[in-house]
Amino acid sequence: MRSGFAKLRLGQALRLGVAAGKVSLWRSSRWRAPAWTPLGEAAYVPDAAHGLHGDFAALGQALAQLLERLLPASQYAGWPLSVVLDDALVRLWQVDLPQGAARLADIEAAAALRFQSLYGDPPGLWHSSSTWDARAPFFCAVPRALLAQLTRVAAERKLALIFITPQFARHWNRWHGALKPGAWFGQLQENALTLGVRHDGRLLAVRALPVPPGAGHDWLAQTLAREALLQGVPAPALLQLCGAPPPAWLIQAKEFGCQVFSAPDGEGALSPAGRLARSGGVA
């Protein structure tokens, strides 16, 4: 028996962070210290030619090798595994449901039409879900090829795959109750900002935006004003954010401010994949 690995105890689980180019595996513990134990990371080369329409074989191979190296199958069989994805690997959107819609088919049809109008991708390449949070439902689509690789590797290692979710959903579910009136929610990961546009206390839209190098406070304020114009709502006076924004974003201006939700100690030193794995706390 390898030192440091033990049979499943109550409250323990595995968490995988999947970034573009790296995966990070952690062991979490709800009842025992430490709450988080890093197990290892592995790099892979994304399918640059096909992007989100690729087969994700390199990711699957890197993950399989990482699990083979770190997890004795006889000791970790049956452990719960949760996966947090970089928002750049998924599609996120919000849709106004048809008035009086009661059937699941009506809701799915409305979501599919909105997805097609926003992204133009072939819907057969994506697996859609709206189960992130029934109190403020928004939709997410994961590439079927990515989902297949994660499911295959988990099955081969006899791990119980609990959920696969984007980072935005993890942090939205963790922090939306702490949002101040009129504030928008933001998730910053590397060079991508995912916005939760709110109006009258309701999530109105989810927007994923690239952040250019050197983007300062003026860029952020202008971006939020443009998104507000597109949605037909007032620009927010406050953006409450998860992530590590440039210091210039935190400068308080008369018309706009940015506030960062607290992050776990040491998170700033983690890799992007490691930060993904720890998103939203232990679960």
Side-chain angles (χ1 to χ4, degrees), residues 84-85 87 165-171 187 189 275-276 279:
V84 181
L85 302 175
D87 292 343
T165 183
Q167 187 183 35
F168 179 86
R170 291 292 301 171
H171 278 151
Q187 166 60 57
Q189 172 77 0
R275 291 194 295 272
L276 285 166
S279 294

Side-chain angles (χ1 to χ4, degrees), residues 28-241:
S28 68
S29 177
R30 185 178 293 275
W31 312 119
R32 298 168 178 261
W36 292 99
T37 302
L39 300 181
E41 296 189 343
Y44 68 94
V45 179
D47 188 347
H50 300 94
L52 296 180
H53 296 163
D55 61 11
F56 290 92
L59 185 153
Q61 182 178 15
L63 177 57
Q65 292 174 349
L66 179 67
L67 294 176
E68 179 68 27
R69 175 165 54 91
L70 296 175
L71 304 184
S74 61
Q75 295 180 44
Y76 278 83
W79 273 59
L81 171 67
S82 303
V83 181
V84 181
L85 302 175
D86 189 325
D87 292 343
L89 296 174
V90 304
R91 302 296 200 201
L92 293 162
W93 75 102
Q94 176 78 347
V95 62
D96 290 329
L97 300 180
Q99 186 174 4
R103 297 187 308 155
L104 179 60
D106 296 333
I107 298 172
E108 290 176 341
L113 286 173
R114 182 62 175 161
F115 175 84
Q116 185 69 23
S117 68
L118 286 173
Y119 298 111
D121 290 336
L125 298 178
W126 298 82
H127 174 78
S128 299
S129 173
S130 61
T131 59
W132 309 115
D133 187 344
R135 291 164 294 184
F138 54 92
F139 293 84
C140 173
V142 179
R144 290 188 184 276
L146 171 58
L147 188 63
Q149 291 290 345
L150 295 172
T151 303
R152 174 186 63 81
V153 175
E156 289 175 351
R157 302 298 299 178
K158 296 181 173 58
L159 300 173
L161 195 53
I162 303 302
F163 65 69
I164 300 173
T165 183
Q167 187 183 35
F168 179 86
R170 291 292 301 171
H171 278 151
W172 169 263
N173 288 344
R174 170 67 176 84
W175 292 110
H176 77 274
L179 292 172
K180 297 180 180 179
W184 287 10
F185 177 73
Q187 166 60 57
L188 182 66
Q189 172 77 0
E190 293 301 283
N191 298 316
L193 173 64
T194 306
L195 287 175
V197 179
R198 299 171 70 241
H199 183 60
D200 289 340
R202 184 173 69 91
L203 183 65
L204 187 66
V206 180
R207 295 277 290 161
L209 305 168
V211 179
H217 190 276
D218 289 344
W219 174 88
L220 181 60
Q222 292 168 8
T223 296
L224 297 184
R226 183 180 66 250
E227 292 301 318
L229 185 62
L230 289 172
Q231 299 299 329
V233 298
L238 177 66
L239 176 67
Q240 292 181 267
L241 185 73

